[in-house]
Amino acid sequence: MFAPKFGIRVIIIPALTFFGLILLWEIVDAVFEVKKIIAPAPHEIALAFVTEWRALFKATGITMLESVLGFILGSLVAFMLAILFVYSSTLRIAIYPYAVALKSTPLIAIAPLLILWFGNGLLSKIVMAALVAFFPVLVNAVDGLTSVEKDALSLMRSLSASQWQIFWKIRFPHSLPFIFSSLKIASSLAVVGAVIGEFTGSTSGIGHLINTSSYYLDTDVMFAAILMISSGGIIFFGIVSLAEKRIVFWR
């Protein structure tokens, strides 16, 4: 498996690309005299960071809290269900199609129901984040737990190992690369789910801030909010990736 090596190039190249794009954006904005309400220049967005930093950090913190809690909830439920699927094919046949149906349902269609059931506070956003994080973890966990080599299972059974011992010594370690691959995907999806929930109905968070800014045509604040939550999502993804390198050290 390919494992990226972190070094100075991994930091410098993206940084140079970022500053190059910012410079190009600034030049295009100045040459074509793009209106601030359409696409503010980078220096105008930077000014919005300075003037609205309290609101931006508070909103980002709330959205990231919803995302992390939803990520944990969705991942735990998915992993526990995956274990049940491994040991009960009947349960897998009975429930798996509904998990696929849930994944196929547009988030924007589910969000109003969650607001109705759980209110417009944190809980509905946590549930939304959990729903979008749930499916990739479920699929990869099932694949990881069931794709163990038959020879390894036969050896453990010949040694009179219990199902519990087989799980902890064979199935679980084998599934970790699969699980962490899905956790990295789920970490990003959880942020998306939380923001969509905030767009539908909330009194706080990045989604609420973007909605409010769009109402007052504060496009620079909208861009600043998008950059803030994107940065939060990148950091979240990086933390999960770092945990993968520490735990799945044999890859």
Side-chain angles (χ1 to χ4, degrees):
M1 297 293 292
F2 173 76
K5 296 181 178 179
F6 290 93
I8 193 68
R9 293 177 69 251
V10 177
I11 299 174
I12 290 179
I13 293 177
L16 290 176
T17 303
F18 174 77
F19 286 114
L21 291 174
I22 292 297
L23 179 60
L24 178 62
W25 184 353
E26 192 76 51
I27 293 172
V28 170
D29 195 89
V31 170
F32 293 97
E33 298 181 349
V34 181
K35 293 182 179 180
K36 178 181 177 181
I37 194 175
I38 302 298
H43 74 272
E44 293 172 325
I45 298 173
L47 182 61
F49 272 110
V50 174
T51 57
E52 301 291 339
W53 68 271
R54 290 182 184 274
L56 287 167
F57 274 94
K58 181 180 179 180
T60 303
I62 292 171
T63 301
M64 290 308 301
L65 176 63
E66 296 164 349
S67 303
V68 171
L69 293 178
F71 167 81
I72 294 172
L73 175 62
S75 300
L76 286 177
V77 172
F79 182 66
M80 297 304 295
L81 195 58
I83 295 174
L84 294 177
F85 284 175
V86 169
Y87 293 104
S88 175
S89 58
T90 302
L91 189 64
R92 180 176 181 178
I93 294 171
I95 297 179
Y96 199 77
Y98 296 101
V100 176
L102 179 63
K103 173 60 179 176
S104 303
T105 305
L107 290 179
I108 198 66
I110 301 175
L113 288 174
L114 297 181
I115 299 296
L116 180 64
W117 293 339
F118 301 107
N120 64 349
L122 292 180
L123 183 57
S124 58
K125 317 310 180 299
I126 292 171
V127 174
M128 174 65 80
L131 286 176
V132 295
F134 169 81
F135 190 75
V137 178
L138 175 66
V139 172
N140 278 33
V142 170
D143 287 344
L145 291 170
T146 56
S147 61
V148 179
E149 293 183 3
K150 293 183 178 180
D151 290 343
L153 295 176
S154 298
L155 176 61
M156 291 295 289
R157 291 182 182 122
S158 68
L159 297 173
S160 301
S162 65
Q163 290 288 354
W164 183 253
Q165 290 173 320
I166 292 174
F167 175 81
W168 279 112
K169 294 184 181 296
I170 300 294
R171 291 190 186 275
F172 182 65
H174 182 269
S175 69
L176 283 176
F178 293 82
I179 292 172
F180 271 101
S181 294
S182 64
L183 289 178
K184 288 187 289 187
I185 298 172
S187 65
S188 300
L189 291 178
V191 177
V192 175
V195 173
I196 290 177
E198 290 171 350
F199 277 139
T200 306
S202 68
T203 57
S204 59
I206 282 292
H208 173 71
L209 180 60
I210 292 175
N211 274 338
T212 304
S213 301
S214 66
Y215 180 79
Y216 291 104
L217 301 179
D218 292 330
T219 314
D220 51 347
V221 178
M222 293 174 63
F223 271 90
I226 292 170
L227 289 174
M228 284 291 291
I229 196 59
S230 298
S231 300
I234 292 171
I235 293 171
F236 191 12
F237 181 90
I239 292 172
V240 176
S241 298
L242 181 60
E244 178 187 24
K245 291 185 176 298
R246 297 292 185 183
I247 297 173
V248 193
F249 55 85
W250 60 86
R251 293 188 67 182

